[in-house]
Amino acid sequence: MDCLFCKIIAGEIPSAKVYEDEYVYAFRDIHPQAPVHVLVIPKTHIDSADCLTEETAHLAAEVFAALPKVARACGLVNGYRVITNVGEDGCQSVRHMHFHLLGGKKLPEQMS
Ligand code: DGP
């Protein structure tokens, strides 16, 4: 499958890894929008959150189980924001479900 994030997980494309376990990989976003901007992704490919079903919801659960560990690894102790973009209107540019973890400063209240 020609997926950028699958290639990053496989090590075919370099990335700045901050956390990895059996199910999840987390690495620094190439275009950071906050002092800490990490992408947290399931190792199993799924296009987006819109593709989740009862059978695949565990992929999102595994990401969320890892989030506190990723946040601690990044030194985030005062909160952070988690965002997943979905599809065209959500401005999703990489079709492998990913969660942006943003922090390291007081983030704006406005989200859109
Ligand atoms: P989204 O717009 O939600 O699909 O976010 C995709 C993010 O992926 C975007 O913030 C930039 C990041 N990104 C794209 N290509 C690469 C890459 O090759 N390496 C890394 N580390 N991040 C990338």
Side-chain angles (χ1 to χ4, degrees), residues 4-5 27-30 39 85 91-94 98 100:
L4 175 66
F5 286 176
F27 57 105
R28 297 199 185 273
D29 194 291
I30 206 165
L39 300 171
N85 293 329
C91 287
Q92 182 185 5
S93 61
V94 180
H98 52 280
H100 297 258

Side-chain angles (χ1 to χ4, degrees), residues 1 7 11 26 28 41 44 46 49 52-53 60 83 89-90 98 104:
M1 188 186 295
K7 287 178 181 165
R28 297 199 185 273
I41 64 178
T44 299
I46 185 165
L52 291 169
T53 64
I83 295 172
D89 282 1
H98 52 280

